[in-house]
């Protein structure tokens, strides 16, 4: 079959061919396979089922060049973070244009946390990093394949067994370049059995320019470990942000991922969770507030292989102008994964007539003793509620803001860290005050 | 003073109010009674400014000025307050947050200083206590999971907090047990003053033993069919509305 390549694809293929693939032997084969896969698949488009509503062939006109490593000062960083986030007591790991910046980062996280830059992880002879590239197991995902070939930054973190990490680890991605650039980063978290750790991930840009980022996070959650991860994106309106979080959950583990997306160009948050052990639970929730022509896609696969596992998903989307949101959630219950308990809910609130919400929940159940449900709703601000608030003297705009706040509030409640939750609430309020 | 002049109202082309004339001077309490569907709640919504009603004729003046062009929030700032027949549940909006927002919004419109959070809390807690509104209720979502009686008390609490000049109570007594009826009525009576007027919509004469009206109006088929003193309520309780229904027939 003759393939017609778009300009972006041609660009990406030549970049992938230039990629040195000079990592360790255990990775090189995976990378070679990924390169062949990407060349065969090209960029996903609407004829690929999983990408039906987010056509990357159209969204990505050209492939930006990988970012050169730039400079960010401590002051610039704090300005970017803003007072609330800068005050939050965390261990900061700062990635400038994808690369772990040692000067800006807190690298002494105690005896229980080991941090290696991606380069150090791949260049050294470190055995615990070997799952990198193989927690990812989706052979037909072009974006993950591309990341595996192109990844030039990121970090590997090992949390010791039974560690109680006393402060959240804040992963701060800053793009410093003034022009168009791309980054491909990879994070790998190896979380020891019984450990308790919290991650915050934010994506910031110094010059507010358009960027393309492809970030893959591989997470191994040990038995009975507890992980909290909040990812916050407020990208430039021409940026392309492709994120994959791929997790494997051990027995009795407890994993929460909350993703907040405010505007941005095209954002795809893809999450693939595999329940390997019994009695594990995960809560994958989030909010998206989209105005202008922002497009955000949440694609989720919860694959239950263990017994008595629980999954909870709650997504709240607010659409203004021509904002567009996609929710694809698939819950798989493998044969034998009895007593699976899964509840998936996705709700959209339309503030304009031209917003669009596409929702595709799917259940694939191969066990008989399970409790799984899903629901999706789309609605507008309820006139009766609005009138009630106005009849109490609250002006129209403020009454609407209260109702939007109430709508997203149900999901925002799920952020356990108070300061962080207040921060995200503050950003959402700023969003609809502007809307 | 509230003056309603020859008010005609339609919904989707269907006439509901057919020429209401009503004047409530400052300091007076008027009651409206009347059969189901006669238009009592419609009248109260139109005064509050709900926008699904078409006013085809007539006017509503408050303190001499037409309010028809004012939006609902402006009417509240001007002094009108409607206690709803069916208070609405708003999950996700904490009652305390809602009360604070409403009070400060109204104060701002009235060129009064906004209240600090501690002053606000004190004010709300004190009035809540008078009306037997439990502190836990202030933490919950607005009206969410409140019993029928609790919702009605919450309405009166809001009324007390927003300091209106004209209170409209739409069947505030329905759903209240005997003790609650007494507490709520005491709350309402405490608000009676020379400068404040009230329009009390009810089906039961009993309420009017507590909140004694200056005048009682009978509404039927979107019109005021009869007006009398407080004894009219007793008469209606005995005879029912048959007389007025006959008029319609
Ligand atoms: N939004 C609306 N759309 C259609 N019809 C309406 C609407 N609001 C009121 N009506 C109709 O107008 C009439 C008067 O209703 P309203 O609620 O004002 O009566 P009411 O006197 O308050 O009755 P009740 O004693 O039962 O509370 C009813 O026939 C009702 O169905
Ligand atoms: Mg009524």
């Amino acid at each position: 079959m003759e393939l017609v390549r778009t300009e972006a694809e041609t660009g990406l293929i030549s970049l992938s061919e230039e990629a040195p693939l000079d990592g360790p032997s255990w990775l090189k084969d995976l990378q070679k396979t990924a390169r062949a896969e990407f060349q065969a698949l090209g960029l996903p488009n609407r004829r690929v089922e999983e990408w039906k509503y987010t056509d990357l062939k159209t969204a990505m006109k050209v492939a930006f060049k990988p970012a050169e490593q730039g400079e960010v000062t401590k002051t610039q960083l704090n300005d970017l973070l803003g007072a609330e986030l800068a005050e939050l007591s965390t261990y900061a790991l700062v990635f400038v244009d994808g690369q772990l910046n040692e000067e800006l980062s807190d690298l002494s996280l105690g005896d229980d946390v080991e941090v290696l830059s991606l380069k150090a992880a791949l260049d050294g002879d470190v055995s615990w990093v070997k799952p990198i590239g193989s927690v990812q197991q989706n052979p037909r995902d072009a974006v993950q394949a591309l990341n595996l070939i192109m990844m030039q930054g990121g970090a590997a973190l090992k949390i010791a067994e039974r560690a109680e990490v006393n402060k959240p680890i804040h992963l701060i991605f800053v793009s410093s370049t003034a022009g168009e650039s791309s980054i491909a980063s990879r994070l790998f978290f190896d979380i020891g059995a019984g450990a308790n750790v919290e991650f915050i991930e934010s994506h910031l840009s110094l010059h507010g320019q358009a960027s393309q980022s492809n970030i893959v996070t591989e997470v191994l959650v040990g038995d009975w470990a507890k992980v909290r991860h909040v990812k916050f994106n407020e990208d430039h309106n021409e940026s392309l942000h492709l994120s994959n979080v791929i997790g494997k959950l051990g027995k009795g583990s407890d994993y929460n991922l909350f993703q907040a997306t405010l505007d941005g160009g095209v954002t795809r948050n893809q999450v693939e969770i595999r329940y390997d052990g019994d009695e594990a639970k995960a809560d994958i929730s989030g909010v998206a507030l989209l105005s202008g022509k922002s497009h955000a896609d949440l694609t989720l696969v919860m694959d239950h292989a263990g017994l008595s596992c629980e999954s909870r998903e709650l997504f709240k989307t607010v659409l203004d102008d021509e904002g567009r949101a996609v929710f694809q959630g698939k819950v798989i219950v493998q044969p034998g994964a009895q007593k699976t308990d899964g509840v998936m809910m996705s709700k959209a609130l339309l503030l304009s007539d031209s917003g669009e919400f596409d929702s595709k929940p799917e259940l694939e159940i191969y066990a008989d003793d399970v409790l799984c449900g899903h629901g999706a709703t789309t609605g507008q601000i309820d006139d009766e509620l609005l009138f009630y608030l106005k009849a109490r003297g609250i002006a129209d705009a403020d009454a609407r803001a209260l109702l939007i706040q109430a709508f997203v509030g149900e999901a925002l409640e799920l952020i356990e860290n108070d300061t962080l939750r207040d921060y995200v609430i503050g950003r959402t309020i700023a969003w609809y005050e502007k809307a | 003073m509230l003056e309603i002049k020859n008010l005609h109202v339609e919904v989707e082309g269907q006439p509901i109010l057919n020429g209401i004339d009503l004047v409530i001077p400052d300091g007076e309490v008027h009651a409206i009674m009347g059969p189901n569907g006669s238009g009592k709640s419609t009248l109260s919504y139109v005064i509050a400014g709900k926008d699904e009603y078409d006013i085809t004729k007539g006017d509503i003046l408050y303190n001499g000025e037409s309010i028809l062009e004012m939006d609902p929030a402006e009417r509240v700032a001007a002094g009108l307050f409607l206690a709803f027949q069916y208070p609405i549940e708003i999950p996700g909006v904490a009652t305390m947050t809602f009360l604070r927002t409403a009070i400060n919004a109204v104060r701002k419109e009235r060129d009064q200083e906004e209240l600090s959070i501690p002053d606000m809390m004190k004010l709300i807690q004190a009035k809540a206590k008078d009306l037997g509104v439990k502190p836990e209720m202030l933490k919950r979502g607005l009206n969410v999971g409140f019993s029928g009686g609790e919702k009605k008390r919450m309405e009166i609490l809001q009324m007390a907090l927003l300091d209106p000049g004209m209170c409209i109570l739409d069947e505030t007594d329905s759903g209240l047990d005997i003790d609650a009826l007494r507490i709520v009525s005491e709350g309402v009576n405490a608000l009676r003053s020379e400068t404040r007027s009230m329009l009390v919509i009810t089906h039961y004469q009993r309420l009017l033993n507590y909140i004694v009206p200056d005048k009682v109006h009978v509404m039927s088929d979107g019109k005021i069919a009869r007006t009398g003193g407080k004894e009219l309520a007793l008469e209606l309780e005995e005879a029912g509305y048959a007389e007025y229904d006959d008029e319609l027939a």
Side-chain angles (χ1 to χ4, degrees), chain A residues 171-429:
Chain A
L171 306 144
I172 306 168
F173 289 82
V174 186
S175 92
S176 79
T177 45
E180 294 167 335
S181 65
S182 68
I183 64 156
S185 303
R186 184 163 291 240
L187 296 170
F188 171 63
F189 304 154
D190 180 355
I191 295 152
N196 185 355
V197 62
E198 181 180 347
F199 298 103
I200 302 168
E201 178 182 341
S202 38
H203 294 263
L204 310 162
S205 126
L206 204 54
H207 299 286
Q209 82 287 16
S211 64
Q212 295 173 343
S213 46
N214 178 334
I215 170 157
V216 172
T217 304
E218 293 176 289
V219 191
L220 293 179
V221 182
D223 294 348
W224 311 105
K226 180 177 169 186
V227 181
R228 297 290 175 263
H229 184 171
V230 175
K231 175 172 182 283
F232 183 81
N233 276 78
E234 198 169 0
D235 294 311
H236 184 271
N237 62 11
E238 282 166 40
S239 61
L240 175 66
H241 181 90
L242 302 171
S243 158
N244 275 276
V245 176
I246 306 158
K248 266 194 198 180
L249 308 187
K251 182 181 169 76
S253 61
D254 175 358
Y255 179 76
N256 278 21
L257 171 65
F258 189 94
Q259 305 184 98
T261 305
L262 271 68
D263 289 334
V266 174
T267 305
R268 164 110 161 177
N269 279 317
Q270 183 165 325
V271 181
E272 298 173 6
I273 302 294
R274 168 124 183 148
Y275 293 74
D276 273 351
D278 299 340
E279 293 165 50
K281 57 180 183 180
D283 186 317
I284 312 295
S285 295
V287 296
L289 285 81
L290 309 171
S291 62
K293 289 178 184 294
S294 296
H295 173 122
D297 173 327
L298 191 286
T299 293
L300 183 71
V301 181
M302 306 297 283
D303 185 357
H304 295 261
L307 279 175
S308 303
C309 290
E310 187 184 290
S311 64
R312 289 287 177 275
E313 294 86 35
L314 177 65
F315 289 92
K316 292 285 185 98
T317 302
V318 183
L319 294 164
D320 199 4
D321 308 325
E322 291 169 57
R324 179 156 182 217
V326 177
F327 174 78
Q328 307 187 97
K330 186 191 275 188
V331 174
I332 304 171
V333 181
Q334 301 288 354
Q338 302 295 9
K339 308 267 184 225
T340 292
D341 172 359
V343 181
M344 181 162 70
M345 180 56 79
S346 175
K347 294 183 178 173
L349 180 66
L350 288 166
L351 303 182
S352 72
D353 294 333
S354 27
E356 185 178 331
F357 177 57
D358 296 296
S359 166
K360 194 178 75 175
E362 282 177 281
L363 298 176
E364 262 181 39
I365 300 181
Y366 306 102
D368 50 17
D369 184 14
V370 301
L371 207 87
C372 284
H374 64 73
T377 63
T378 307
Q380 281 150 332
I381 286 189
D382 185 319
D383 284 339
E384 297 292 321
L385 304 192
L386 193 61
F387 175 65
Y388 188 77
L389 296 176
K390 292 203 269 187
R392 294 300 174 255
I394 301 171
D396 186 76
D398 297 330
R400 285 175 195 276
L402 260 182
L403 293 174
I404 300 170
Q405 181 65 47
F407 174 78
V408 293
E410 190 192 352
L412 293 172
E413 293 283 297
L414 298 168
I415 302 176
E416 290 175 12
N417 181 318
D418 293 338
T419 315
L420 189 60
R421 185 177 57 246
D422 287 346
Y423 169 75
V424 180
I425 290 174
R427 298 311 303 155
T428 59
I429 291 173

Side-chain angles (χ1 to χ4, degrees), chain B residues 11 16 35-42 52-53 85 171 203:
Chain B
V11 172
I16 297 176
N36 294 130
S38 55
K40 304 180 297 296
S41 292
T42 302
E52 67 206 50
Y53 301 100
Q85 180 174 2
E171 294 197 31
H203 285 295

Side-chain angles (χ1 to χ4, degrees), chain B residues 2-32:
Chain B
L2 184 75
E3 296 164 86
I4 300 170
K5 294 181 172 168
N6 191 28
L7 186 69
H8 289 252
V9 171
E10 293 181 0
V11 172
E12 289 157 8
Q14 191 70 30
I16 297 176
L17 300 184
N18 304 306
I20 303 260
D21 284 292
L22 185 64
V23 176
I24 308 178
D26 286 349
E28 287 195 9
V29 173
H30 289 207
I32 292 191

